[in-house]
């Protein structure tokens, strides 16, 4: 087979590292293979949802006060295990765990920090709607001999991510990631269990035909958002738009990445700071969006520049094509919001 027809995610990241860091130790490829393994385990369970007892609530609530689904527990455990035994992870932080987990104290060995949402949108599984795993990777300062402070070790602005990505458990299972040299997509071939390169250098169109927002919250959006959405509906965005909203961030973002347009989760009456979490939803999505030529803001500033104050803090999220995001920002600026 021609080499570029059959390139696995692990081989691709190895090639990337060799190209950009000739003396790379292969550490990062090994780390990514931990994410690939864990998400293959999750995909296998999701594909059997309904046939085996993995659907429904686990009977507990998480740090967010949300009902934990059985697959949330399985996905979280798979990632903690597959990343915890890589030998190069210092700290793991999960949406499902209140505090970060210290894996290796010595920053020389435990040089990576991985923050993840193990199964975003999991409440959709019962109705067979796509869900996703989202991950964000930082690197601890080499030779940093300061005592490990898990909270401090994970609270960095998104600009300091060394990599980010997601796995979409949809019609097919796709791994999409970036290490800062473009965005690349891999489709899981279940016949032999490998993520194979199918989307090289994914770029987001400068404009797109879809806006994606939960319009049930329209009445409580800040005025600039409602004016923006009215402008799109009335054709004042320079094109006709359709509304698409899955209610699963990874699915809604993946469509926006491929087709263009805009995804919005503005401040609402219930979530006055936005619903989505900065560290393991907005930051990795924003990293990918910018790498693909798109934009991501909280309505006022770049998501990636937000200085985090807490692992589970929430933020408004606007992400998508340059044209639509810029138009919204102009309307919000006009409101001083
Ligand atoms: P709403 C799923 O629960 C999630 O965290 C994201 O995946 C999704 O974008 C959002 O919440 C949907 O929230 O309030 O529209 O149901």
């Amino acid at each position: 087979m021609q080499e570029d027809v059959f390139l696995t995610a692990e081989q691709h990241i190895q090639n990337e590292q060799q190209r950009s860091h000739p003396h790379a130790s292969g550490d990062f490829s090994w780390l990514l293979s931990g994410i690939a393994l864990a998400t293959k385990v999750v995909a296998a369970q999701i594909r059997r949802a309904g046939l085996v007892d993995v659907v429904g609530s686990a009977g507990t609530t998480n740090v967010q006060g949300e009902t934990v689904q059985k697959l949330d527990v399985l996905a979280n455990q798979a990632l903690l295990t597959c990343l915890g035994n890589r030998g190069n992870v210092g700290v793991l932080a999960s949406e499902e765990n209140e505090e970060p987990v210290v894996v290796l104290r010595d920053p020389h060995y435990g040089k990576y920090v991985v923050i993840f949402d193990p199964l975003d949108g999991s409440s959709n599984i019962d109705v067979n709607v796509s869900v996703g795993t989202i991950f964000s990777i930082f690197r601890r300062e080499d030779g940093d001999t300061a005592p490990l402070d898990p909270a401090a070790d994970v609270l960095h602005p998104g600009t300091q991510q060394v990599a980010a990505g997601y796995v979409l458990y949809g019609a097919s299972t796709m791994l999409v990631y970036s290490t800062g040299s473009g965005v690349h997509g891999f489709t899981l071939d279940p016949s032999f269990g490998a993520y194979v390169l199918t989307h090289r250098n994914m770029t987001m169109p400068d404009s797109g035909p879809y806006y994606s927002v939960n319009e049930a919250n329209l009445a409580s959006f800040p005025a600039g958002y409602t004016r923006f959405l009215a402008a799109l509906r009335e054709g004042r965005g320079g094109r006709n738009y359709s509304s698409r909203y899955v209610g699963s961030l990874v699915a809604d973002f993946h469509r926006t990445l491929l087709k263009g347009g805009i995804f919005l989760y503005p401040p609402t009456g219930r979530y006055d700071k936005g619903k989505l979490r900065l560290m393991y939803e907005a930051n990795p999505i924003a990293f990918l969006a910018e790498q693909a030529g798109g934009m991501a803001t909280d309505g006022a500033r770049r998501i990636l520049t937000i200085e985090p104050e807490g692992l589970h803090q929430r933020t408004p999220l606007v992400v998508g094509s340059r044209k639509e995001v810029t138009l919204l920002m102009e309307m919000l600026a006009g409101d001083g919001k």
Side-chain angles (χ1 to χ4, degrees):
M1 259 188 195
Q2 287 172 324
E3 187 208 344
D4 62 354
V5 167
F6 180 83
L7 195 61
T8 64
E10 291 84 347
Q11 185 57 57
H12 183 268
I13 194 69
Q14 188 78 15
N15 296 350
E16 288 270 300
Q17 296 296 298
Q18 286 305 317
R19 187 169 55 247
S20 45
H21 309 289
H23 305 297
S25 60
D27 254 356
F28 193 79
S29 175
W30 178 235
L31 172 63
L32 190 94
S33 70
I35 294 174
L37 176 59
T39 57
K40 289 176 194 173
V41 170
V42 175
Q45 293 301 321
I46 289 175
R47 298 290 167 234
R48 293 176 52 76
L51 297 169
V52 294
D53 180 24
V54 293
V55 174
S57 164
T60 57
T61 54
N62 64 14
V63 62
Q64 325 290 338
E66 295 164 344
T67 303
V68 176
Q69 305 295 314
K70 287 176 188 161
L71 274 171
D72 284 322
V73 175
L74 183 141
N76 195 44
Q77 201 48 54
L79 280 156
L80 289 172
T81 303
C82 293
L83 285 169
N85 66 22
R86 290 291 111 171
N88 57 10
V89 174
V91 182
L92 289 169
S94 167
E95 187 243 9
E96 293 296 332
N97 300 110
E98 184 150 9
E99 299 299 335
V101 175
V102 175
V103 180
L104 284 172
R105 289 196 167 279
D106 182 331
H108 177 68
Y109 296 104
K111 59 183 165 186
Y112 292 108
V113 175
V114 186
I115 308 171
F116 55 87
D117 186 348
L119 205 57
D120 182 74
S122 54
S123 55
N124 289 304
I125 289 171
D126 297 9
V127 293
N128 213 355
V129 165
S130 302
V131 293
T133 295
I134 313 172
F135 58 91
S136 169
I137 302 174
F138 293 89
R139 184 185 169 118
R140 289 160 73 188
E141 292 308 313
D142 205 4
D144 174 357
T145 54
L148 186 68
D149 172 356
D153 267 292
V154 301
L155 297 182
H156 301 293
T159 46
Q160 293 182 22
Q161 293 173 102
V162 294
Y166 58 79
V167 173
L168 174 60
Y169 309 99
S172 64
T173 298
M174 270 198 77
L175 165 65
V176 175
Y177 78 77
S178 174
T179 59
S181 307
V183 178
H184 309 283
F186 302 80
T187 302
L188 180 62
D189 186 327
S191 65
F192 55 93
Y195 283 109
V196 176
L197 181 66
T198 50
H199 297 64
R200 188 189 297 271
N201 277 320
M202 300 172 81
T203 52
M204 190 185 291
D206 275 343
S207 173
Y210 300 118
Y211 69 85
S212 186
V213 65
N214 184 341
E215 293 187 281
N217 300 321
L218 204 64
S220 64
F221 290 165
Y225 289 96
T226 47
R227 283 216 314 285
F228 168 74
L229 293 167
L232 297 192
R233 280 195 296 271
E234 293 157 13
R236 286 183 281 123
R239 67 184 303 160
N240 292 324
Y241 287 88
S242 290
S243 175
R244 292 282 189 283
Y245 192 70
V246 178
S248 187
L249 174 62
V250 174
D252 281 318
F253 176 71
H254 189 70
R255 180 200 55 251
T256 306
L257 173 60
L258 288 172
K259 303 294 184 185
I262 189 169
F263 170 89
L264 315 94
Y265 207 108
T268 68
R270 181 180 177 192
Y271 297 107
D272 61 348
K273 292 187 171 35
K275 176 184 182 184
L276 301 176
R277 277 56 65 94
L278 172 65
M279 297 306 293
Y280 40 80
E281 290 174 324
N283 264 343
I285 291 297
F287 184 83
L288 294 169
E290 292 197 1
Q291 281 292 315
M295 294 173 71
T297 86
D298 66 353
R301 51 192 168 159
R302 270 178 83 200
I303 289 288
L304 296 183
T305 59
I306 297 174
E307 284 289 346
E309 292 164 11
L311 173 60
H312 302 291
Q313 80 180 61
R314 298 177 190 269
T315 176
L317 176 63
V318 174
V319 59
S321 298
R322 306 192 71 79
K323 180 191 170 200
E324 281 80 14
V325 173
T326 301
L327 178 60
L328 170 64
M329 297 297 282
E330 287 166 355
M331 296 183 104
L332 293 177
D335 275 355
K337 280 190 175 42

